[in-house]
Amino acid sequence: PFRRILKDYFMICESYYAAIRTASPAQIEAIDMGRRGLHNEGAQLLAERLRGKIDCDFDTTRRIFTLITALHWKG
């Protein structure tokens, strides 16, 4: 499940960076909302996988997901 989320997340990040150059603020905001939604989905999946092993709140799992995406970034 992480591969799909990471793949989708990186794809939407690329769309976001491309939109910054040419799109309207409303379009950029819509793409960013989608990006944040995927980020939250990844953090929730991570929290489920860590349940019983580590106790952490949602903000912490978001930060860990950010770290995971930074380590997997190939661009």
Side-chain angles (χ1 to χ4, degrees), residues 20-59:
I20 288 175
R21 296 184 200 105
T22 59
S24 70
Q27 291 170 321
I28 294 170
E29 186 175 342
I31 293 170
D32 191 47
M33 286 174 45
R35 183 198 59 79
R36 282 182 279 165
L38 274 173
H39 198 105
N40 288 342
E41 187 179 332
Q44 287 173 334
L45 179 61
L46 185 60
E48 290 170 10
R49 296 296 174 112
L50 293 175
R51 192 170 291 129
K53 298 174 183 83
I54 266 188
D55 227 3
C56 53
D57 61 355
F58 186 68
D59 288 336

